[in-house]
């Protein structure tokens, strides 16, 4: 009184990956097709049991493939979750731009530093976050690098000013990186607001000046 459809239903409800092979004596072709549609890995008749061992082997191989795929997907999901937690918790802003300087990705810290929402930043050129006099310099440098590979500045800890949405300039420390995908270059920028550091340095210099006086 325990049928193949009931077994398949129980396996689905339990979330198991074990292969189900149905062996039956008398069943029509239509019923066999419906059984396969319901999730059976294979269907054998009792007068053809020579196929049973190969069918079990194939079933286990397919199950192993599903388990490996599931583990890989879970690992990827966990990796993406960790990456999201780390990037969103970072006080430095992280940007990803293409060869034309369009912003493809920005972390939450970018909103805090520049005053724009991510929706306002994404899809626009990175130059929107730069003072007017630096925009043509950035575009020319990026174009030259893409075409020739020539760098004129060190990509680690570059000091320059950014532009806040309100219009005032922000002292920044920026580091760059790059990677290539399908023949196109993409660039990452790690941006740190050093306003407080600059303020402390200025106060220290003033204190030293007063001390010398």
């Amino acid at each position: 009184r325990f049928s193949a459809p009931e077994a398949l239903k129980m396996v689905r409800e339990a979330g198991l990956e074990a292969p189900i092979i149905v062996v039956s004596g008398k069943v029509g072709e239509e019923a066999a097709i419906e059984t396969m549609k319901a999730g059976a890995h294979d269907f054998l008749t009792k007068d053809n049991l020579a196929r049973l061992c190969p069918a079990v082997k194939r079933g286990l191989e397919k199950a192993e493939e599903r388990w490996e795929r599931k583990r890989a997907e879970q690992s990827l999901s966990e990796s993406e979750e960790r990456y999201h937690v780390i990037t969103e918790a970072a006080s430095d802003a992280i940007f990803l731009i293409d060869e034309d300087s369009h912003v493809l990705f920005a972390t939450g810290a970018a909103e805090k530093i520049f005053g724009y929402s991510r929706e306002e930043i994404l899809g626009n050129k990175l130059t929107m976050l730069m003072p007017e006099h630096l925009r043509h310099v950035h575009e020319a440098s990026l174009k030259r690098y893409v075409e020739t590979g020539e760098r004129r500045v060190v990509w680690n800890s570059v000091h320059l000013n950014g532009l806040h949405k309100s219009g005032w300039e922000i002292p920044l420390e920026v580091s760059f990186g790059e990677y290539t995908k399908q023949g196109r270059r993409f660039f990452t920028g790690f941006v740190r607001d050093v306003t407080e550091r600059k303020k402390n340095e200025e106060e220290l210099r003033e204190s030293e000046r007063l001390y010398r006086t």
Side-chain angles (χ1 to χ4, degrees):
R1 296 179 183 178
F2 185 57
S3 66
E6 289 178 272
L8 290 165
K9 182 181 177 183
M10 288 179 65
V11 169
R12 284 198 306 270
E13 289 176 348
L16 300 176
E17 293 290 343
I20 298 295
I21 299 173
V22 178
V23 181
S24 180
K26 296 180 180 180
V27 67
E29 184 179 346
E30 185 176 340
I33 292 172
E34 289 302 316
T35 301
M36 296 293 287
K37 285 182 179 179
H41 173 74
D42 207 341
F43 180 88
L44 308 176
T45 57
K46 290 182 179 178
D47 58 359
N48 190 21
L49 292 181
R51 286 186 55 230
L52 181 58
C53 287
V56 170
K57 184 178 178 182
R58 284 195 307 272
L60 292 174
E61 288 172 351
K62 292 288 186 183
E64 183 64 25
E65 289 175 9
R66 290 196 298 273
W67 294 329
E68 288 295 334
R69 185 166 58 249
K70 195 170 183 179
R71 282 194 288 267
E73 290 171 352
Q74 184 177 357
S75 177
L76 177 61
S77 176
E78 290 173 354
S79 176
E80 289 176 344
E81 186 177 353
R82 285 194 298 269
Y83 172 78
H84 177 76
V85 170
I86 291 169
T87 56
E88 289 305 309
S91 57
D92 295 353
I94 303 173
F95 291 94
L96 174 66
I97 64 171
D98 61 15
E99 294 175 342
D100 299 316
S101 197
H102 290 107
V103 180
L104 307 177
F105 171 81
T107 58
E111 298 177 322
K112 298 175 184 176
I113 294 174
F114 295 97
Y116 290 95
S117 68
R118 268 184 281 198
E119 288 71 22
E120 292 176 295
I121 296 173
L122 294 178
N124 287 306
K125 287 198 169 185
L126 189 65
T127 48
M128 71 180 288
L129 306 177
M130 301 176 185
E132 188 69 36
H133 67 278
L134 290 178
R135 294 177 183 178
H136 73 282
V137 176
H138 166 77
E139 291 185 333
S141 299
L142 183 60
K143 185 174 185 293
R144 181 178 61 250
Y145 179 74
V146 170
E147 292 176 352
T148 68
E150 179 188 352
R151 298 184 190 180
R152 292 188 179 176
V153 295
V154 179
W155 282 17
N156 188 32
S157 298
V158 179
H159 290 267
L160 47 79
N161 282 356
L163 185 67
H164 193 272
K165 185 178 181 178
S166 61
W168 46 271
E169 294 189 12
I170 321 158
L172 303 172
E173 183 179 272
V174 185
S175 297
F176 303 97
E178 71 166 314
Y179 70 94
T180 303
K181 183 178 181 181
Q182 296 178 346
R184 283 179 59 82
R185 284 191 174 101
F186 297 89
F187 303 90
T188 55
F190 299 85
V191 181
R192 176 172 297 175
D193 183 352
V194 293
T195 301
E196 195 64 31
R197 185 199 301 173
K198 292 287 185 182
K199 180 182 175 183
N200 292 338
E201 289 173 354
E202 183 60 35
E203 289 177 351
L204 179 60
R205 282 193 296 269
E206 179 63 17
S207 175
E208 290 174 345
R209 186 188 67 81
L210 290 173
Y211 177 76
R212 286 194 301 269
T213 301

